[in-house]
Amino acid sequence: MQSRVRIVLVETSHAGNIGAVARAMKNMGLDDLALVRCVPHLSGQAVARASGADDLLHRARLFDSLEEAVADCQLVIGASARLRRVRWPQLDPRQCARKVAAEEAAGRKVALLFGRERTGLSNAELDLCHYLVHIPANPEYSSLNLAMAVQVIAYELRMAKSAPVPEEEREPAPLAAFEGFMDHLVEALYDIGYLDERNPEKLLRRLRRLFHRAELDAHEINILRGILNAAQGKKRRSGEGREQWMRKTI
Ligand code: SAH
């Protein structure tokens, strides 16, 4: 199935760049390439730089005008090497990718426009765009090679679309179990002589935060308590002194 995202190149003057764009697209799973008044796109240089993505070059569609190339698209975003003044709403590649992913999910077609190597996109061409996307770069040298710009944006599209890594099904333990573990931890730290007995609060608060961050489940709490038991088995201090100390401090 053809992807719903079209990469549109406007008046590209180096055939090698067109090939490199095809490669960048294919790497990221895009396959809809539209060429508006570009140099011949099946030249030796283009095919060489496409390096195995020449199927995209063969399937590329050629247009005489930008309007025709994007006529069926509901969202048009222009890639610009320069930060423009307020006239066009601006996105960074990640924001752009999120917007595109949402449009795609809604079954809409999106075009991403890339301009000429020397002069970029004209104002009239930018007027067709709902948004501009700018890749943040060195302000004194912000213009990327055309195919590199396509690569960065296509990569973000892919990242935005890839299914979120499913969270492992884990059920954090109820608070009482967590508190039981913390009590046990205090006991064990006392037993092994790790606590500064006069001022344990700071350390305990840190440990509490650390273990809260881990969102321990019941099984993990059991493991940790098993470890505490084992440590205590080796080092258990006299029960009575400990009880007294615990009553005093906690
Ligand atoms: N000299 C031109 C830049 C041309 S680079 C200018 O100043 O506009 C060719 C195309 O690559 C640009 O039209 C744009 O579509 C894309 N491009 C290059 N650098 C980019 C950047 N930092 N952010 C977004 N697109 C960029």
Side-chain angles (χ1 to χ4, degrees):
M1 190 188 79
Q2 202 171 51
S3 80
R4 293 188 175 278
V5 178
R6 180 172 307 151
I7 301 294
V8 183
L9 303 185
V10 180
E11 292 196 355
T12 306
S13 53
H14 294 291
N17 277 339
I18 304 178
V21 165
R23 180 177 189 175
M25 287 174 63
K26 190 166 175 174
N27 280 145
M28 296 298 128
L30 299 174
D31 61 2
D32 185 0
L33 176 59
L35 304 174
V36 179
R37 301 186 301 268
C38 295
V39 289
H41 63 293
L42 290 172
S43 69
Q45 258 195 16
V47 172
R49 293 286 301 279
S51 171
D54 47 324
D55 52 324
L56 260 73
L57 291 181
H58 286 284
R59 270 188 285 137
R61 285 171 303 156
L62 311 185
F63 295 92
D64 291 326
S65 79
L66 179 56
E67 284 83 350
E68 284 172 71
V70 299
D72 57 337
C73 295
Q74 282 124 316
L75 177 68
V76 179
I77 301 179
S80 169
R82 280 167 283 168
L83 279 169
R84 316 261 169 175
R85 270 158 285 136
V86 272
R87 193 158 151 210
W88 292 276
Q90 204 135 318
L91 305 169
D92 68 32
R94 212 152 286 175
Q95 295 167 324
C96 165
R98 276 202 290 272
K99 196 163 274 300
V100 171
E103 293 290 310
E104 263 196 292
R108 306 202 184 101
K109 266 203 175 270
V110 180
L112 288 162
L113 315 186
F114 292 84
R116 302 155 186 82
E117 289 93 335
R118 286 180 59 79
T119 55
L121 293 164
S122 71
N123 283 352
E125 287 155 355
L126 292 174
D127 277 335
L128 294 176
C129 298
H130 300 94
Y131 294 91
L132 297 193
V133 58
H134 173 73
I135 301 164
N138 177 357
E140 278 137 46
Y141 191 65
S142 65
S143 170
L144 278 71
N145 165 268
L146 170 63
M148 307 251 180
V150 171
Q151 184 76 79
V152 170
I153 302 224
Y155 168 74
E156 289 293 344
L157 295 181
R158 189 162 187 88
M159 288 300 283
K161 250 177 53 174
S162 59
V165 182
E167 284 250 341
E168 212 186 318
E169 285 296 320
R170 288 179 65 252
E171 185 78 7
L175 198 70
F178 182 81
E179 291 303 323
F181 161 67
M182 284 304 299
D183 289 347
H184 192 168
L185 181 65
V186 178
E187 254 180 51
L189 292 179
Y190 176 85
D191 286 353
I192 63 175
Y194 188 80
L195 276 187
D196 172 358
E197 294 175 18
R198 282 150 311 167
N199 188 20
E201 285 81 9
K202 207 163 153 202
L203 172 70
L204 293 178
R205 192 160 302 123
R206 283 202 153 202
L207 290 173
R208 177 177 281 279
R209 261 190 263 139
L210 164 68
F211 287 116
H212 262 317
R213 246 191 350 258
E215 297 183 1
L216 301 169
D217 64 24
H219 185 59
E220 290 162 339
I221 284 185
N222 279 341
I223 295 173
L224 289 172
R225 293 194 68 158
I227 295 172
L228 295 179
N229 278 331
Q232 284 176 303
K234 291 214 181 293
K235 284 275 191 180
R236 196 176 296 276
R237 294 215 246 166
S238 94
E240 220 172 86
R242 183 179 72 194
E243 299 282 286
Q244 259 181 9
W245 176 80
M246 300 254 299
R247 264 202 303 279
K248 244 186 12 231
T249 34
I250 301 168

